[in-house]
Amino acid sequence: MCVENLFMITLSNKIYVAGHNGMAGAAICRSLLSRGYKNILNVNRDQLDLRNFYEVENWFNNNNPEIVIIAAAKVGGIIANQKYPVEFLLDNLKIQNNLIEMSWKYRVKKLIFLGSSCIYPKFAEQPIKEEYLLGGKLEHSNEPYALAKIAGIKLCQSLRREYKFNSISIMPTNLYGPGDNYNLENSHVIPALIRKFYEAKLNNKKYVECWGSGKPKREFLHVDDLGDACVFLLENWDLNDPRSPRTEEGELLTHLNVGTGIDLSIYDLANLISNIVGFKGDIIWDKSKPDGTPRKLLDISNIESLGWKPKIKLKNGLISTVKIFEEELKRGKIRF
């Protein structure tokens, strides 16, 4: 079917991946390169402060990217979110607002904004559909980060509605894999557990203490599957196409979930990682610590309808991630 006004990406397009050194951004770059895209514009943090409006505008004026993928963000786990709420709200708002506005002003042909599954209500019906956004209260522990991401989604949506700007947003579930952060203060659950169990194994500890009850269920996506999904949507999802996913009420969706459609309890996750690492001791659950959202499973039927599915099984992904952790430990990139 021929559809007018669809943007067709080419291998020669100038692509700017904001946050290319981060876990998600690096995976997106790997996927772009594997698909034959060579004209990728990368700029390091010490060369461009994405929080600075004038620096960002000057960079866009000088480089004129045709496609922008926003993977840059201040991220962290429960401890970091609780400790630095101002930074998680303000820094993320500055970064995304500057990049989205300049992309529109300098006539970028297509923009992809990476959000997060934490945008959805704490007690959303499971699995979570895209239209559940703003349908209830957020999880308190990461509310500032979630609010910033929601603002980014709505800015992209508004620019499309008012100015026909070609912008889409994707909501990945919890990510893990190469490039992850293993600092216990600001890491997410998988890297934190890998580090805890590995350190306990090396020190012959009898037990490892984990936060909460272990009952909450979470979904995890290998970051290379995210990179693959991002490039797939860049090539295959256009909001001008009448086949583009819609809500049950027929409203056009401007953000899509990206996940596996499979979750497991934190209790089962901890035991799985413990076995992969080779820790022989016990796991003790500190129920005085917060659990967070009880369950957070994404409905991925819309991205599946476009033809994308994840490829990396959780156990296989965890095994490869633990090997990367061991290599980085040997090279001194990680220190206990």
Side-chain angles (χ1 to χ4, degrees):
M1 180 172 67
C2 180
V3 182
E4 295 183 359
N5 300 320
L6 295 187
F7 167 65
M8 301 300 293
I9 186 172
T10 68
L11 296 179
S12 62
N13 282 132
K14 294 169 67 175
I15 304 175
Y16 172 41
V17 181
H20 73 284
N21 282 325
M23 181 171 68
I28 293 167
C29 288
R30 288 194 296 271
S31 184
L32 286 167
L33 290 170
S34 72
R35 299 274 294 178
Y37 296 97
K38 305 295 185 183
N39 202 358
I40 302 174
L41 308 175
N42 289 335
V43 56
N44 293 326
R45 188 180 302 176
D46 58 350
Q47 300 171 305
L48 175 61
D49 183 354
L50 295 177
R51 298 168 299 179
N52 187 305
F53 178 88
Y54 299 103
E55 286 190 26
V56 175
E57 179 163 30
N58 184 60
W59 187 89
F60 269 78
N61 185 49
N62 290 333
N63 292 277
N64 295 305
E66 297 172 282
I67 295 165
V68 172
I69 302 173
I70 303 177
K74 182 176 180 61
V75 298
I78 292 178
I79 298 176
N81 273 270
Q82 291 181 333
K83 192 173 182 179
Y84 305 109
V86 173
E87 288 79 1
F88 273 89
L89 180 56
L90 193 57
D91 284 1
N92 282 310
L93 284 173
K94 288 179 179 178
I95 291 168
Q96 64 200 36
N97 286 352
N98 290 341
L99 289 169
I100 295 169
E101 182 178 356
M102 288 306 105
S103 295
W104 165 64
K105 181 176 180 179
Y106 285 89
R107 302 182 182 278
V108 164
K109 295 178 179 179
K110 192 165 188 177
L111 169 79
I112 294 183
F113 173 66
L114 265 67
S116 167
S117 60
C118 72
I119 64 166
Y120 294 114
K122 179 174 182 176
F123 299 108
E125 182 181 341
Q126 305 290 316
I128 304 171
K129 296 179 181 292
E130 287 88 352
E131 53 261 46
Y132 295 170
L133 179 63
L134 297 178
K137 290 185 177 181
L138 299 168
E139 160 59 34
H140 177 72
S141 63
N142 57 19
E143 184 180 71
Y145 177 76
L147 287 170
K149 289 298 183 181
I150 292 170
I153 296 166
K154 290 301 180 180
L155 179 56
C156 289
Q157 189 180 72
S158 297
L159 283 167
R160 172 178 170 76
R161 181 181 300 142
E162 187 170 351
Y163 297 106
K164 308 301 182 185
F165 181 56
N166 188 12
S167 57
I168 56 178
S169 302
I170 63 177
M171 302 302 114
T173 190
N174 303 286
L175 300 174
Y176 73 98
D180 216 335
N181 171 26
Y182 294 93
N183 184 313
L184 290 179
E185 182 173 309
N186 52 26
S187 64
H188 290 103
V189 60
I190 284 182
L193 288 174
I194 290 174
R195 176 168 179 152
K196 279 188 174 186
F197 286 119
Y198 205 92
E199 187 173 7
K201 174 187 174 182
L202 290 180
N203 294 322
N204 295 311
K205 290 186 177 180
K206 294 182 178 180
Y207 68 89
V208 165
E209 187 176 278
C210 296
W211 274 32
S213 66
K215 293 179 181 179
K217 302 186 78 173
R218 291 292 183 270
E219 174 186 15
F220 297 97
L221 179 73
H222 194 280
V223 71
D224 283 335
D225 270 338
L226 170 67
D228 178 66
C230 191
V231 178
F232 175 87
L233 292 174
L234 182 65
E235 296 174 336
N236 295 282
W237 183 29
D238 194 307
L239 298 180
N240 290 319
D241 192 327
R243 297 166 296 186
S244 185
R246 296 175 177 270
T247 67
E248 293 179 357
E249 290 73 30
E251 184 178 350
L252 184 67
L253 287 167
T254 59
H255 69 279
L256 289 186
N257 293 335
V258 181
T260 63
I262 301 170
D263 62 1
L264 79 167
S265 70
I266 299 300
Y267 177 90
D268 289 337
L269 175 69
N271 280 280
L272 179 57
I273 293 176
S274 175
N275 290 332
I276 292 171
V277 168
F279 174 66
K280 303 300 183 183
D282 297 324
I283 302 174
I284 297 176
W285 296 92
D286 182 358
K287 296 181 181 179
S288 68
K289 296 296 194 296
D291 270 338
T293 304
R295 194 183 186 197
K296 196 166 61 172
L297 177 65
L298 296 182
D299 183 324
I300 60 169
S301 58
N302 283 311
I303 190 172
E304 285 182 326
S305 73
L306 293 173
W308 181 87
K309 288 186 178 182
K311 299 175 183 176
I312 302 172
K313 302 293 184 183
L314 179 60
K315 185 175 181 179
N316 294 336
L318 289 174
I319 290 172
S320 65
T321 301
V322 169
K323 288 181 180 177
I324 293 171
F325 173 84
E326 291 174 333
E327 292 169 1
E328 292 186 356
L329 190 65
K330 289 176 182 177
R331 294 200 303 267
K333 294 184 67 177
I334 299 171
R335 298 182 184 275
F336 291 151

